[in-house]
């Protein structure tokens, strides 16, 4: 019965994708400069992605939903822009993540205790084509928006970049920090970014010991320099003051993340390389204690090379074979390393439908097994 549900779900998804037109986002309300009504300056857009996914791991896998099929990060987003003047707009953005099998009651296709849905982003602010963009809320942080996004281009990524290896990207500032202020502006070939992280409520670390993490405040800055139309260099730095505590002990940490990225896009090629340095950012690989919760210093490297073959047929638009590698090293007493090689291909079929097939070859201190990933994307 569960297999029938998965097959039915995937079949319906493919049929929907083939029938639907291909759009990055759907405009549900557009600005009307000829009208004097209150809603004339407003535009609304909606988009999203549905992502069934299968993971086949060498050897036993305690998570049965990997091979049965599960949700790989489905989401829907809403974007609003209200034009105040010729130069200035009020903007808003909301992104909601949802677990399709969880909503459908397919118990064998999601982990027990996992969230059925969650807020991925929610922010608002002002955009001016002269003075830049200023936003507040739950949004991308400095590291991801400047460096991490460059290498967020394959399926099983995030093992060496700061966006996936900290305490929690909604709190430590590396991915999508809540309660944050972001400013961004472009000066010729250079885009500069800066943010400030306000205090955030404490978050239980999930260990069952009553231990929690609390962000006090933080800040970061970065830039993206377009050296040539096909070549860019980016760098970012962020610092977060946080406390880790239990019922009897508390310790403060100054978490620091530095990163840089070089990206080259000649013709159909996409090549990127990132390097990041961490201080008191990655949780310790030993037994966690309040006094030694983070691993001290470490570094991560990520590289990706892909070439897109444009086929341009009715149900086969392009194929991008790629190779990616990453490496995470933690110093001090951790004695931990993780290296991965990824061999994969992304196939775009048109009508919003694409499929990624990827093999992960792992060499890690904790003997992570190799795995094969298959993810279907229906983007609208």
């Amino acid at each position: 019965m569960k297999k029938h549900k998965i097959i039915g779900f995937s079949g319906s998804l493919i049929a929907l994708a083939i029938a639907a037109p291909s759009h990055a986002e759907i405009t549900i309300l557009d600005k009307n400069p000829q009208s004097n009504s209150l809603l004339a300056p407003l535009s609304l857009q909606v988009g999203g992605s549905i992502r069934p996914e299968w993971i086949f791991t060498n050897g036993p896998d305690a998570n049965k939903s990997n091979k049965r099929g599960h949700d790989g990060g489905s989401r829907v987003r809403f974007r609003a822009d209200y034009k105040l003047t010729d130069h200035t707009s009020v903007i808003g953005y909301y992104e909601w993540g949802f677990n399709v099998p969880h909503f459908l009651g397919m118990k064998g296709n999601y982990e027990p205790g996992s969230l059925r849905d969650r807020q991925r982003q929610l922010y608002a602010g002002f955009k001016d084509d002269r003075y830049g963009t200023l936003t507040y809320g739950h949004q991308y942080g400095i590291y991801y928006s400047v460096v991490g996004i460059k290498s967020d281009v394959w399926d099983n990524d995030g093992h060496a970049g700061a966006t996936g290896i900290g305490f929690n990207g909604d709190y430590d500032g590396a991915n999508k920090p809540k309660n944050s202020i972001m400013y961004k502006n472009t000066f010729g070939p250079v885009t500069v970014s800066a943010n400030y992280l306000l205090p955030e409520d404490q978050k239980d670390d999930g260990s069952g010991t009553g231990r929690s993490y609390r962000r006090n405040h933080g800040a970061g800055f970065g830039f993206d320099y377009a050296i040539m139309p096909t070549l860019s260099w980016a760098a970012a730095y962020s610092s977060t003051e946080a406390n880790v505590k239990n019922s009897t002990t508390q310790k403060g940490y100054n978490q620091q993340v530095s990163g840089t990225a070089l990206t080259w896009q000649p013709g159909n090629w996409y090549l990127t390389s990132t390097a990041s340095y961490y201080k008191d950012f990655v949780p310790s690989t030993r037994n966690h204690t309040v006094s030694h919760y983070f691993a001290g210093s470490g570094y991560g490297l990520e590289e990706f090379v892909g070439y897109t073959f444009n086929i341009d047929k009715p149900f086969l638009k392009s194929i991008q074979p790629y190779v990616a590698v990453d490496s995470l090293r933690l110093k001090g007493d951790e004695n931990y390393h993780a290296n991965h090689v990824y061999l994969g291909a992304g196939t775009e079929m048109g009508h919003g439908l694409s499929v990624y097939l990827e093999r992960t070859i792992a060499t890690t201190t904790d003997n992570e097994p190799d795995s094969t990933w298959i993810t279907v994307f229906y983007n609208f």
Side-chain angles (χ1 to χ4, degrees), residues 244-354:
V244 176
K245 68 176 184 178
N246 58 23
S247 59
T248 60
T249 311
Q250 176 173 298
K251 182 177 179 179
Y253 290 91
N254 174 231
Q255 300 184 271
Q256 299 180 45
V257 177
S258 305
T260 187
L262 191 65
T263 304
W264 190 33
Q265 302 178 70
N268 291 355
W269 289 94
Y270 184 85
L271 302 90
T272 191
S273 178
T274 71
S276 305
Y277 174 77
Y278 313 116
K279 182 178 182 298
D280 285 336
F281 179 79
V282 184
S284 173
T285 59
R286 302 186 296 166
N287 290 331
H288 292 317
T289 63
V290 170
S291 60
H292 187 78
Y293 193 82
F294 294 102
S297 60
Y299 66 88
L301 305 172
E302 297 182 327
E303 283 81 30
F304 175 93
V305 177
Y307 184 87
T308 301
F309 294 91
N310 292 315
I311 312 298
D312 203 24
K313 298 297 182 182
F315 297 102
L316 182 58
K317 298 300 181 182
S318 65
I319 299 176
Q320 185 196 52
Y322 59 84
V323 178
V325 297
D326 63 30
S327 179
L328 175 65
R329 292 286 189 277
L330 301 179
K331 299 180 180 180
D333 298 331
E334 298 297 322
N335 190 29
Y336 177 84
H337 71 270
N339 299 322
H340 300 93
V341 177
Y342 309 87
L343 305 173
T347 303
E348 184 182 350
M349 300 177 182
H351 307 282
L353 183 68
S354 58

Side-chain angles (χ1 to χ4, degrees), residues 7 62 163 318:
I7 293 171
T163 54
S318 65

Side-chain angles (χ1 to χ4, degrees), residues 156-232:
N156 183 27
D157 57 9
H159 295 285
T163 54
I165 60 174
F167 168 80
N168 185 303
D170 286 348
Y171 294 85
D172 59 31
N175 191 5
K176 298 187 291 287
K178 298 178 178 180
N179 205 16
S180 67
I181 300 170
M182 171 74 85
Y183 173 76
K184 183 177 292 188
N185 202 359
T186 299
F187 303 92
V190 180
T191 298
V192 296
S193 305
N195 78 341
Y196 183 77
L197 308 180
L198 285 80
E200 186 61 39
D201 293 340
Q202 66 183 32
K203 170 75 172 177
D204 188 271
D205 74 347
S207 65
T209 64
R211 193 170 48 228
S212 63
Y213 171 99
R214 184 182 188 276
R215 184 182 79 209
N216 297 321
H217 59 83
F221 62 88
F223 67 87
D224 196 330
Y225 174 40
I227 302 171
M228 299 187 302
T230 59
L231 181 65
S232 69

